[in-house]
Amino acid sequence: MRSALFAATAFFSLAVPGQPVLAAEAPYVDDRSDAEAVIRSFYSAINRQEFARAWDYFGETKPAEDFGAFVKGYDGTDTVEVKTGGVSEDGAAGSIYSNVPVAIRATAKDGSENVFAGCYTLRQVNAQIQEPPFRPIFIDKGALKPSKANFEDAVPASCGDGPPPPKKDAVLEQVKKAFAATYGDQCDKEMPGGEPLAEPNAYSLRYKYPGAEADEPELETRLFRFFCSMAAYNESVVYYVYDQVSGVRQLQFASPELDIHYENNDSEGKVEAINVTGFQTDDQLVNSEYDDATKTISSLNKWRGVGDASSVGTYLFRNGNFSLVQYDVDASYDGEINPQTVVDYNTAP
C-alpha cells in the first residue's frame, strides 16, 4: 500500500485547474475541518515544499519508507491538477472513516503529463475519547494508480464497498462559496428561532432570446435565494444566478432615489409629490420572494412595523437578466395602505 501511494504522490503539487503555478506561489492552507480539506492541505504543503507538514497529515501508515525518501520523491514534480468525487463515510470503533475518490493530472518538470486515479481513506478519531496529544483528521491510507481515462473523467465513481454517493451539484457549491466569502461575517449564522440555516432556494429558468430559431435549444439561468438576516419586521435575502456564459454572479437590484414632499412637512399627512431623482443598486432585497409563474422577484420594504409606509419593487426575468419593471411607494405614515407607482415599465401605455 505504501509503495502504491508513494508512486502516485511523487508527482503531487497543487495548482488551480487550467492555471499551473510554481511551487513557491502556492497559498498556505492548513485546514482539517473535513476529509477533502485535509487533502487540499496536504497538497498545499507539498507545493510549498513544506515536507514535514505534508508528512504529518498521515497517520501511522506513511507514504514512504522514511522521511528522506518521501522528500526525494518530489524532485521531479512541477504541477498537478486535482479533482475529487463524492465522499462516503463509515463509522467504526470510535472513528469516522471518509473515503475520497481522487484523480490527478501530474506534470513533471520535463513537461510530461500522467493521469492517476484512486482513493484516499481518512480517519477522524472521536475527539471526546482522545487524550493529549490531540490527533485531528489524518490520512489513514490510499493508493492512486495510472489511469488511461481523460483527466476530466478519471475520478472514481465511488470508494469502498458502498454505493456511489450522490453527485455534488458543482454550481450550487460554487454559489455557496461565493455567498460565504461575501456575507459570512454579515449575515445571521442561524435562522430565527435558532434552527440551522437551510440550503438556498434554487430555481431553473429556461428561455430563448427573441428571434431564436425554433430548433435552437433553450438557454438556462439558475437562480439561488439565500436568507441573510431577520429584523423586527423585515427579512433580507441575497440572490445569485448562474449561466454558462457568465458563470456565478450576484444579482444587484435597481431602486429609485426618492425626493418626497408632504403637505405641511407632515409625514403622517398627505403626500404632495414623490419625485425620482436617480437610481441606485441594492445587493440585498427585503421581504423578497421569487414567483416562478410570473418569472418575477418582488420586494416589500416596510418602513415601520404596521406596514402603512413601504416600498415595493418588481423585477422581471427576461433575456437572461432581471430588470426593474415597477416600483410602488406608500410614503405616508397615515395608518392606511395607499401606494403610488413611481416606476412603471409593466403597464401598457
Side-chain angles (χ1 to χ4, degrees), residues 125-164:
V125 180
N126 187 338
Q128 295 179 344
I129 65 174
Q130 290 197 48
E131 297 180 356
F134 175 75
R135 189 66 167 125
I137 302 173
F138 60 88
I139 302 172
D140 188 54
K141 59 183 178 179
L144 302 183
K145 298 180 180 180
S147 174
K148 295 182 180 180
N150 294 327
F151 173 57
E152 290 74 13
D153 304 320
V155 178
S158 64
C159 294
D161 299 328

Side-chain angles (χ1 to χ4, degrees), residues 35 87 172 210 217 240 264 277:
V87 178
L172 176 59
Y240 283 81
N264 300 321
T277 60

Side-chain angles (χ1 to χ4, degrees), residues 344-349:
D344 187 4
Y345 301 106
N346 211 18
T347 302

Side-chain angles (χ1 to χ4, degrees), residues 1 5 57-62 97-98 120-124 137-142:
M1 184 67 73
L5 177 60
Y57 288 113
F58 288 86
E60 294 181 2
T61 302
K62 300 297 184 181
Y97 292 88
S98 300
Y120 284 101
T121 298
L122 291 91
R123 182 181 179 188
Q124 179 179 6
I137 302 173
F138 60 88
I139 302 172
D140 188 54
K141 59 183 178 179

Side-chain angles (χ1 to χ4, degrees), residues 30-111:
D30 184 17
D31 182 355
R32 306 198 190 209
S33 59
D34 60 41
E36 288 179 290
V38 173
I39 297 299
R40 291 194 299 270
S41 300
F42 169 69
Y43 295 140
S44 165
I46 293 300
N47 206 34
R48 293 167 60 90
Q49 300 183 21
E50 297 168 353
F51 297 113
R53 180 162 71 93
W55 183 263
D56 189 61
Y57 288 113
F58 288 86
E60 294 181 2
T61 302
K62 300 297 184 181
E65 183 177 353
D66 55 47
F67 181 67
F70 174 68
V71 175
K72 187 175 178 59
Y74 293 95
D75 285 347
T77 302
D78 187 14
T79 62
V80 66
E81 298 174 52
V82 181
K83 287 181 176 290
T84 58
V87 178
S88 59
E89 294 184 347
D90 296 303
S95 294
I96 297 175
Y97 292 88
S98 300
N99 300 305
V100 184
V102 173
I104 67 165
R105 177 164 54 195
T107 303
K109 291 180 179 179
D110 63 4

Side-chain angles (χ1 to χ4, degrees), residues 58 70 80 120 193 271 282 300 304 311:
F58 288 86
F70 174 68
V80 66
Y120 284 101
V271 176
D282 301 316
L300 169 59
R304 66 177 182 180
S311 54

Side-chain angles (χ1 to χ4, degrees), residues 206-209 212-220 244:
R206 297 186 176 275
Y207 65 98
K208 288 186 177 183
Y209 283 114
E213 299 294 333
D215 58 350
E216 287 188 30
E218 288 185 319
L219 302 174
E220 180 187 25
Q244 289 187 336

